[in-house]
Amino acid sequence: MRCLVRSVVVAAGVALAMAQPQAAAPLRVVTTTEDLASLAREVGGDRVAVDALAKGYQDPHFVDAKPSFILLVSRADLLIAVGRELEIGWLPPLVNNSRNAKIQPGGSGYLDASQTVKILEIPTGQITRAMGDVHPSGNPHYWLDPDNGRRMAAAIRDKLSQLAPADAAFFTQRYADFDRRLAEAQKRWDATLAPYKGTKVVTYHRSWPNFMDRFGLDVIGYVEPKPGIPPSPSHTLDLIAEMKRLGVKLIVVEPYWSLKTPQAIASQTGAEVLVLAPSVGGTKEAADYIQLFEYDVKLLASALKRATGK
Ligand SMILES: [Zn+2]
Protein backbone atom coordinates (compact mmCIF):
# COMPACT_ATOMS: atom_id res chain seq x y z
CA MET A 1 0.00 0.00 0.00
CA ARG A 2 2.76 2.36 1.04
CA CYS A 3 4.66 1.40 -2.10
CA LEU A 4 1.68 2.09 -4.28
CA VAL A 5 1.18 5.56 -2.83
CA ARG A 6 4.85 6.33 -3.40
CA SER A 7 4.82 5.22 -7.02
CA VAL A 8 1.72 7.31 -7.69
CA VAL A 9 3.46 10.36 -6.19
CA VAL A 10 6.62 9.66 -8.23
CA ALA A 11 4.58 9.26 -11.43
CA ALA A 12 2.79 12.56 -10.75
CA GLY A 13 6.16 14.24 -10.21
CA VAL A 14 7.51 12.90 -13.52
CA ALA A 15 4.39 14.08 -15.34
CA LEU A 16 4.76 17.56 -13.83
CA ALA A 17 8.43 17.75 -14.78
CA MET A 18 7.63 16.71 -18.34
CA ALA A 19 4.86 19.30 -18.63
CA GLN A 20 7.19 22.19 -17.73
CA PRO A 21 9.82 23.56 -20.09
CA GLN A 22 13.34 22.46 -19.24
CA ALA A 23 14.94 25.19 -17.10
CA ALA A 24 18.46 26.16 -18.20
CA ALA A 25 21.25 25.27 -15.79
CA PRO A 26 22.28 28.26 -13.65
CA LEU A 27 25.28 30.26 -14.89
CA ARG A 28 28.45 29.38 -13.01
CA VAL A 29 29.78 32.65 -11.62
CA VAL A 30 33.12 32.94 -9.83
CA THR A 31 34.01 36.19 -8.08
CA THR A 32 37.32 37.20 -6.53
CA THR A 33 35.69 38.62 -3.38
CA GLU A 34 32.62 37.99 -1.24
CA ASP A 35 31.34 41.52 -1.95
CA LEU A 36 31.09 40.72 -5.65
CA ALA A 37 29.53 37.34 -4.85
CA SER A 38 26.84 39.02 -2.76
CA LEU A 39 26.00 41.48 -5.55
CA ALA A 40 25.95 38.66 -8.13
CA ARG A 41 23.49 36.71 -5.93
CA GLU A 42 21.31 39.80 -5.47
CA VAL A 43 20.99 40.24 -9.23
CA GLY A 44 21.25 36.61 -10.39
CA GLY A 45 18.95 34.89 -7.87
CA ASP A 46 18.50 31.21 -8.64
CA ARG A 47 19.73 31.63 -12.23
CA VAL A 48 23.32 31.78 -11.00
CA ALA A 49 25.54 29.56 -8.86
CA VAL A 50 28.13 31.83 -7.28
CA ASP A 51 31.48 31.01 -5.63
CA ALA A 52 33.82 33.60 -4.12
CA LEU A 53 37.56 32.93 -4.07
CA ALA A 54 38.90 35.25 -1.31
CA LYS A 55 37.16 35.25 2.05
CA GLY A 56 36.04 38.58 3.48
CA TYR A 57 38.34 38.27 6.49
CA GLN A 58 41.43 37.87 4.26
CA ASP A 59 43.61 40.66 2.88
CA PRO A 60 42.33 40.77 -0.72
CA HIS A 61 45.75 41.91 -1.99
CA PHE A 62 47.37 38.66 -0.89
CA VAL A 63 45.33 35.51 -1.26
CA ASP A 64 46.70 31.97 -1.22
CA ALA A 65 45.41 30.41 -4.42
CA LYS A 66 44.12 27.02 -3.34
CA PRO A 67 44.01 24.14 -5.88
CA SER A 68 40.20 24.26 -5.65
CA PHE A 69 40.32 27.79 -7.11
CA ILE A 70 41.67 26.49 -10.45
CA LEU A 71 38.82 24.02 -10.72
CA LEU A 72 36.23 26.72 -10.01
CA VAL A 73 37.76 29.15 -12.51
CA SER A 74 38.16 26.47 -15.18
CA ARG A 75 34.42 25.69 -15.05
CA ALA A 76 33.17 29.28 -14.75
CA ASP A 77 30.81 30.88 -17.28
CA LEU A 78 31.62 34.26 -15.75
CA LEU A 79 34.53 35.58 -13.68
CA ILE A 80 33.97 38.90 -11.89
CA ALA A 81 37.02 40.74 -10.53
CA VAL A 82 37.42 43.93 -8.48
CA GLY A 83 40.16 45.11 -10.87
CA ARG A 84 42.38 48.20 -10.40
CA GLU A 85 45.26 45.80 -9.65
CA LEU A 86 43.69 44.59 -6.39
CA GLU A 87 44.12 40.93 -7.38
CA ILE A 88 47.28 41.38 -9.46
CA GLY A 89 49.34 39.24 -7.08
CA TRP A 90 47.18 36.13 -7.32
CA LEU A 91 44.48 36.18 -10.02
CA PRO A 92 46.44 36.25 -13.34
CA PRO A 93 48.16 32.86 -12.78
CA LEU A 94 44.80 31.31 -11.87
CA VAL A 95 43.17 32.66 -15.01
CA ASN A 96 46.10 31.49 -17.15
CA ASN A 97 46.15 28.01 -15.66
CA SER A 98 42.39 27.55 -15.91
CA ARG A 99 42.54 27.02 -19.71
CA ASN A 100 39.08 28.59 -19.82
CA ALA A 101 38.96 30.86 -22.88
CA LYS A 102 35.66 32.48 -21.87
CA ILE A 103 36.93 34.10 -18.69
CA GLN A 104 40.22 35.56 -19.97
CA PRO A 105 40.36 39.38 -19.67
CA GLY A 106 38.46 40.75 -22.66
CA GLY A 107 36.52 37.48 -23.04
CA SER A 108 32.72 37.36 -22.98
CA GLY A 109 32.78 35.75 -19.52
CA TYR A 110 35.05 38.29 -17.84
CA LEU A 111 33.78 41.32 -15.95
CA ASP A 112 36.02 43.93 -14.35
CA ALA A 113 33.55 45.48 -11.90
CA SER A 114 35.53 48.71 -11.61
CA GLN A 115 34.76 50.00 -15.10
CA THR A 116 31.58 51.91 -14.21
CA VAL A 117 32.29 53.01 -10.61
CA LYS A 118 33.69 56.14 -9.00
CA ILE A 119 37.42 55.63 -8.42
CA LEU A 120 39.40 57.76 -5.97
CA GLU A 121 43.14 58.41 -5.61
CA ILE A 122 44.11 57.99 -9.25
CA PRO A 123 47.77 58.97 -9.10
CA THR A 124 49.07 61.76 -11.26
CA GLY A 125 52.66 61.86 -12.44
CA GLN A 126 55.18 59.08 -12.23
CA ILE A 127 54.76 56.18 -9.81
CA THR A 128 57.92 55.00 -8.08
CA ARG A 129 58.75 52.13 -5.73
CA ALA A 130 59.29 54.68 -2.96
CA MET A 131 55.55 55.38 -2.94
CA GLY A 132 54.84 51.87 -1.60
CA ASP A 133 52.23 49.56 -3.07
CA VAL A 134 50.36 52.35 -4.87
CA HIS A 135 47.75 51.20 -7.35
CA PRO A 136 48.45 53.00 -10.65
CA SER A 137 44.80 52.98 -11.70
CA GLY A 138 43.42 54.31 -8.43
CA ASN A 139 42.21 52.98 -5.10
CA PRO A 140 40.71 49.50 -5.56
CA HIS A 141 38.65 49.51 -2.33
CA TYR A 142 35.82 51.28 -4.15
CA TRP A 143 33.05 48.80 -3.21
CA LEU A 144 32.83 50.49 0.22
CA ASP A 145 30.62 53.24 -1.22
CA PRO A 146 27.00 52.03 -1.57
CA ASP A 147 26.57 54.14 -4.73
CA ASN A 148 29.42 52.14 -6.24
CA GLY A 149 27.71 48.92 -5.08
CA ARG A 150 24.67 50.00 -7.08
CA ARG A 151 26.84 50.67 -10.15
CA MET A 152 28.54 47.29 -9.76
CA ALA A 153 25.17 45.54 -9.50
CA ALA A 154 24.04 47.29 -12.70
CA ALA A 155 27.19 46.13 -14.52
CA ILE A 156 26.54 42.57 -13.29
CA ARG A 157 22.91 42.80 -14.49
CA ASP A 158 24.09 43.83 -17.95
CA LYS A 159 26.73 41.09 -18.14
CA LEU A 160 24.36 38.34 -16.93
CA SER A 161 21.74 39.53 -19.43
CA GLN A 162 24.33 39.28 -22.19
CA LEU A 163 25.22 35.71 -21.19
CA ALA A 164 21.61 34.57 -20.59
CA PRO A 165 19.36 36.84 -22.72
CA ALA A 166 16.26 34.78 -21.93
CA ASP A 167 16.62 35.79 -18.27
CA ALA A 168 17.27 39.50 -18.89
CA ALA A 169 13.86 40.60 -17.55
CA PHE A 170 14.44 38.49 -14.43
CA PHE A 171 17.83 40.14 -13.79
CA THR A 172 16.36 43.60 -14.41
CA GLN A 173 13.60 42.98 -11.88
CA ARG A 174 16.07 41.62 -9.28
CA TYR A 175 18.35 44.62 -9.79
CA ALA A 176 15.42 47.03 -9.33
CA ASP A 177 14.50 45.31 -6.08
CA PHE A 178 18.09 45.51 -4.79
CA ASP A 179 18.34 49.15 -5.84
CA ARG A 180 15.18 49.97 -3.86
CA ARG A 181 16.34 48.16 -0.71
CA LEU A 182 19.80 49.73 -0.93
CA ALA A 183 18.36 53.25 -1.36
CA GLU A 184 16.14 52.77 1.70
CA ALA A 185 19.09 51.53 3.76
CA GLN A 186 21.29 54.41 2.57
CA LYS A 187 18.83 56.95 3.98
CA ARG A 188 19.17 55.23 7.35
CA TRP A 189 22.99 55.07 7.20
CA ASP A 190 23.28 58.71 6.17
CA ALA A 191 21.05 59.77 9.06
CA THR A 192 22.98 57.64 11.58
CA LEU A 193 26.35 59.12 10.64
CA ALA A 194 25.18 62.68 9.88
CA PRO A 195 26.00 64.06 13.36
CA TYR A 196 29.67 63.11 12.90
CA LYS A 197 30.36 64.82 9.56
CA GLY A 198 33.87 66.23 9.44
CA THR A 199 35.19 64.09 12.31
CA LYS A 200 38.86 63.23 11.81
CA VAL A 201 39.89 59.57 11.92
CA VAL A 202 42.95 57.43 11.21
CA THR A 203 42.81 54.09 9.35
CA TYR A 204 45.36 51.28 9.13
CA HIS A 205 45.40 50.79 5.34
CA ARG A 206 43.88 52.94 2.61
CA SER A 207 40.80 50.69 2.49
CA TRP A 208 38.27 53.34 3.42
CA PRO A 209 38.50 56.45 1.21
CA ASN A 210 35.23 55.72 -0.63
CA PHE A 211 33.45 54.81 2.61
CA MET A 212 34.67 57.87 4.57
CA ASP A 213 34.07 60.17 1.61
CA ARG A 214 30.48 58.94 1.28
CA PHE A 215 29.72 59.54 4.97
CA GLY A 216 31.66 62.79 5.31
CA LEU A 217 34.46 61.64 7.62
CA ASP A 218 37.99 62.94 7.26
CA VAL A 219 40.92 60.47 7.15
CA ILE A 220 44.01 62.40 8.29
CA GLY A 221 46.56 59.57 8.40
CA TYR A 222 47.35 55.87 8.18
CA VAL A 223 49.03 53.38 10.52
CA GLU A 224 50.92 52.09 7.46
CA PRO A 225 53.59 54.61 6.45
CA LYS A 226 52.77 53.80 2.80
CA PRO A 227 50.24 51.37 1.30
CA GLY A 228 51.42 47.80 1.88
CA ILE A 229 54.40 48.88 4.03
CA PRO A 230 54.30 47.72 7.70
CA PRO A 231 54.29 50.32 10.50
CA SER A 232 57.69 51.85 11.33
CA PRO A 233 58.69 53.51 14.64
CA SER A 234 59.37 56.92 13.07
CA HIS A 235 56.08 57.02 11.15
CA THR A 236 54.21 55.87 14.28
CA LEU A 237 55.74 58.73 16.32
CA ASP A 238 54.79 61.26 13.62
CA LEU A 239 51.26 59.89 13.51
CA ILE A 240 50.89 60.08 17.30
CA ALA A 241 52.01 63.74 17.23
CA GLU A 242 49.61 64.58 14.41
CA MET A 243 46.69 62.80 16.14
CA LYS A 244 47.38 64.72 19.37
CA ARG A 245 47.57 68.01 17.46
CA LEU A 246 44.24 67.38 15.69
CA GLY A 247 42.51 65.58 18.58
CA VAL A 248 41.88 62.36 16.63
CA LYS A 249 40.15 59.76 18.80
CA LEU A 250 39.47 56.88 16.43
CA ILE A 251 41.69 54.35 14.62
CA VAL A 252 39.86 52.07 12.16
CA VAL A 253 41.57 48.72 11.50
CA GLU A 254 40.83 45.91 9.04
CA PRO A 255 40.43 42.46 10.65
CA TYR A 256 43.60 40.97 9.11
CA TRP A 257 46.15 43.35 10.67
CA SER A 258 47.91 43.01 14.02
CA LEU A 259 46.40 45.32 16.64
CA LYS A 260 49.78 45.87 18.32
CA THR A 261 50.74 49.19 16.70
CA PRO A 262 47.17 50.59 16.64
CA GLN A 263 46.85 49.83 20.35
CA ALA A 264 50.20 51.43 21.13
CA ILE A 265 49.07 54.56 19.24
CA ALA A 266 45.73 54.47 21.04
CA SER A 267 47.36 54.33 24.46
CA GLN A 268 49.44 57.44 23.59
CA THR A 269 46.55 59.45 22.16
CA GLY A 270 43.49 58.31 24.14
CA ALA A 271 41.98 57.09 20.86
CA GLU A 272 39.86 53.98 20.43
CA VAL A 273 40.81 51.11 18.09
CA LEU A 274 37.82 49.96 16.06
CA VAL A 275 37.91 46.86 13.85
CA LEU A 276 35.46 47.26 10.96
CA ALA A 277 34.63 44.74 8.23
CA PRO A 278 36.00 45.90 4.87
CA SER A 279 34.16 43.12 3.03
CA VAL A 280 31.16 40.84 3.15
CA GLY A 281 32.24 37.86 5.26
CA GLY A 282 34.73 40.02 7.21
CA THR A 283 32.61 39.15 10.21
CA LYS A 284 29.65 36.81 10.68
CA GLU A 285 27.14 39.67 10.82
CA ALA A 286 28.28 41.11 7.46
CA ALA A 287 26.61 38.28 5.56
CA ASP A 288 25.67 40.27 2.47
CA TYR A 289 26.36 43.65 0.86
CA ILE A 290 23.64 45.58 2.71
CA GLN A 291 24.43 43.89 6.03
CA LEU A 292 28.10 44.85 5.61
CA PHE A 293 27.17 48.55 5.78
CA GLU A 294 24.55 47.88 8.44
CA TYR A 295 27.31 46.38 10.61
CA ASP A 296 30.02 48.98 9.91
CA VAL A 297 27.73 52.01 10.22
CA LYS A 298 26.32 50.83 13.56
CA LEU A 299 29.76 50.12 15.04
CA LEU A 300 31.27 53.31 13.67
CA ALA A 301 28.40 55.47 14.93
CA SER A 302 28.71 54.17 18.49
CA ALA A 303 32.50 54.66 18.45
CA LEU A 304 32.08 58.20 17.07
CA LYS A 305 29.50 58.93 19.74
CA ARG A 306 32.01 57.91 22.43
CA ALA A 307 34.79 59.87 20.70
CA THR A 308 32.86 63.10 20.14
CA GLY A 309 30.24 63.05 22.90
CA LYS A 310 27.60 63.92 20.24
ZN1 LIG B 1 44.69 48.38 -0.76
Side-chain angles (χ1 to χ4, degrees):
M1 184 60 194
R2 233 171 125 195
C3 245
L4 182 67
V5 170
R6 219 176 103 196
S7 52
V8 168
V9 170
V10 169
V14 169
L16 193 68
M18 283 169 70
Q20 282 174 348
Q22 187 78 43
L27 286 171
R28 286 190 235 227
V29 179
V30 173
T31 66
T32 56
T33 67
E34 292 200 62
D35 310 285
L36 292 168
S38 173
L39 293 171
R41 287 188 189 108
E42 291 282 6
V43 178
D46 62 3
R47 314 286 160 91
V48 295
V50 185
D51 286 293
L53 299 177
K55 297 291 174 208
Y57 50 80
Q58 293 179 308
D59 180 352
H61 299 273
F62 302 100
V63 175
D64 268 332
K66 291 191 262 174
S68 61
F69 287 5
I70 292 257
L71 192 66
L72 285 172
V73 175
S74 69
R75 290 172 171 176
D77 298 308
L78 173 62
L79 173 65
I80 311 177
V82 171
R84 308 279 156 171
E85 284 90 31
L86 181 79
E87 305 102 333
I88 199 158
W90 57 278
L91 188 61
L94 268 178
V95 169
N96 282 336
N97 293 332
S98 73
R99 301 176 179 219
N100 180 349
K102 285 188 281 192
I103 55 87
Q104 303 296 319
S108 62
Y110 180 83
L111 177 63
D112 175 339
S114 75
Q115 294 306 303
T116 50
V117 304
K118 180 178 174 188
I119 295 290
L120 300 176
E121 300 179 353
I122 295 177
T124 51
Q126 213 194 345
I127 295 168
T128 67
R129 270 243 177 101
M131 294 161 79
D133 191 14
V134 166
H135 296 286
S137 45
N139 190 299
H141 302 273
Y142 60 80
W143 65 88
L144 282 163
D145 172 352
D147 280 346
N148 276 347
R150 177 179 287 103
R151 295 179 183 115
M152 293 155 78
I156 292 171
R157 172 202 61 199
D158 294 347
K159 179 52 92 177
L160 291 177
S161 302
Q162 223 176 67
L163 296 176
D167 288 327
F170 176 78
F171 299 137
T172 300
Q173 178 268 317
R174 300 248 341 159
Y175 167 80
D177 181 63
F178 171 68
D179 174 34
R180 184 186 51 75
R181 283 181 288 120
L182 184 63
E184 269 168 25
Q186 275 182 277
K187 278 188 209 147
R188 215 166 47 237
W189 302 331
D190 287 344
T192 305
L193 290 175
Y196 311 109
K197 276 223 162 92
T199 305
K200 294 177 170 57
V201 300
V202 159
T203 72
Y204 195 108
H205 178 73
R206 287 178 181 259
S207 307
W208 307 94
N210 292 84
F211 183 95
M212 299 300 178
D213 212 49
R214 169 59 47 202
F215 295 110
L217 298 164
D218 186 10
V219 184
I220 61 98
Y222 307 92
V223 177
E224 285 180 332
K226 282 162 189 165
I229 307 290
S232 67
S234 68
H235 173 73
T236 299
L237 287 175
D238 288 348
L239 185 62
I240 288 170
E242 186 68 353
M243 285 175 68
K244 282 182 175 167
R245 193 174 73 80
L246 296 169
V248 178
K249 295 294 178 203
L250 191 63
I251 307 168
V252 172
V253 182
E254 298 81 355
Y256 34 80
W257 304 114
S258 158
L259 293 177
K260 211 177 120 211
T261 305
Q263 273 161 355
I265 298 170
S267 74
Q268 294 293 309
T269 56
E272 179 177 336
V273 176
L274 179 68
V275 179
L276 291 182
S279 273
V280 172
T283 180
K284 228 179 27 244
E285 292 94 325
D288 65 29
Y289 188 78
I290 289 180
Q291 285 180 44
L292 168 67
F293 288 90
E294 217 61 86
Y295 176 84
D296 283 337
V297 166
K298 192 173 151 210
L299 239 62
L300 184 59
S302 43
L304 287 167
K305 192 178 171 70
R306 288 190 292 274
T308 63
K310 283 183 197 163

